[in-house]
Amino acid sequence: MKQLEMVDIAFTDIELNVAGFTNCRKAHIPYDGTKASIAQDGLITPLTVWFREEEPRHVLISGYLRHASMSELRAEEEVAEGDEPSFSTLWVAKFEGDLTNAMAINIAENVHRDNLNGADQAEAVHHLVGRLGTQMAAAQILNKSQPWVSMQCSLVTNLLPEVTLALRNNHINTRQALLLAKYVNKAGQILVEEQLAALDAILNGKAHDPQA
């Protein structure tokens, strides 16, 4: 993707999870460290905002924890009459593409962060594949390999709800989830009893996973 233009925008003009866009990170992530860093040093890494010409609207597509941190700092701040709160105007990266590419930017940023929930990541990638039509197209837009995208999709299509919940709650890791996703027959149907038994073995420490 080409270098994005940097522009000024009012903090209050930035909207979250609107116009068909939803942040791929669903699980709550503590951001006390991010908040403390911004309080001390200001916003160093700019937000990326989707400038939609249709409405127009300004939709946040990356930097949700930074935005939440600034929102809290603004709410906690005592502002004298006539003064403006901190972060009233932000220097942001301006994105003017379509919804699919906005989603790709959001997913790509989160994929490279260690604290992204495995279930959230898989569901976001699977959704992107659905919009683009092929795994290869998603791989190219995310700068990932097609096998990596295929594995992410298998965590959506080949897991029982109980397994997905365990992954979402960090009771199992992605490597373990991928092993469980192999419990399908030749028709691609989930082997329910076998997958549940394997999940139980992992949760009860009876399964050996050298990289768990």
Side-chain angles (χ1 to χ4, degrees):
M1 185 178 68
K2 67 179 182 179
Q3 185 76 26
L4 297 180
E5 178 187 0
M6 302 299 297
V7 298
D8 281 325
I9 185 174
F11 185 89
T12 53
D13 285 346
I14 300 173
E15 299 182 87
L16 280 63
N17 299 319
V18 296
F21 179 86
T22 304
N23 184 26
C24 73
R25 187 194 300 272
K26 303 298 188 300
H28 173 72
I29 301 295
Y31 51 88
D32 293 347
T34 300
K35 180 180 174 182
S37 174
I38 292 175
Q40 178 176 325
D41 302 320
L43 181 64
I44 296 175
T45 304
L47 309 179
T48 302
V49 177
W50 181 20
F51 282 63
R52 289 174 52 85
E53 295 182 356
E54 298 93 321
E55 281 93 356
R57 303 181 83 166
H58 306 104
V59 184
L60 182 65
I61 58 176
S62 74
Y64 273 71
L65 297 185
R66 280 164 275 156
H67 185 278
S69 297
M70 288 185 286
S71 293
E72 286 194 3
L73 289 169
R74 284 165 57 87
E76 295 166 359
E77 187 177 29
E78 293 185 6
V79 182
E81 184 177 353
D83 291 343
E84 289 190 348
S86 298
F87 313 111
S88 292
T89 302
L90 298 179
W91 189 240
V92 304
K94 179 182 180 181
F95 173 75
E96 296 181 288
D98 57 17
L99 175 59
T100 298
N101 281 281
M103 291 169 52
I105 290 174
N106 178 261
I107 296 168
E109 182 192 67
N110 281 291
V111 159
H112 292 95
R113 297 183 184 277
D114 294 335
N115 57 7
L116 178 62
N117 181 281
D120 286 350
Q121 174 174 287
E123 289 167 358
V125 172
H126 185 260
H127 183 56
L128 183 62
V129 170
R131 289 191 61 87
L132 293 173
T134 66
Q135 293 182 0
M136 183 57 71
Q140 290 174 343
I141 205 169
L142 292 174
N143 196 28
K144 291 285 187 177
S145 68
Q146 185 274 328
W148 181 88
V149 172
S150 178
M151 286 191 298
Q152 296 303 311
C153 290
S154 74
L155 295 178
V156 175
T157 60
N158 294 5
L159 294 182
L160 293 166
E162 296 89 337
V163 181
T164 300
L165 183 62
L167 178 61
R168 194 179 305 281
N169 292 334
N170 295 314
H171 295 155
I172 61 174
N173 58 36
T174 299
R175 174 183 170 80
Q176 292 166 327
L178 286 168
L179 292 174
L180 293 172
K182 295 179 180 180
Y183 285 89
V184 294
N185 61 25
K186 293 182 179 180
Q189 298 169 320
I190 299 174
L191 300 172
V192 176
E193 293 184 4
E194 290 87 342
Q195 193 173 107
L196 287 176
L199 173 64
D200 183 69
I202 292 173
L203 295 178
N204 289 290
K206 298 177 182 178
H208 176 61
D209 182 1
Q211 296 188 28

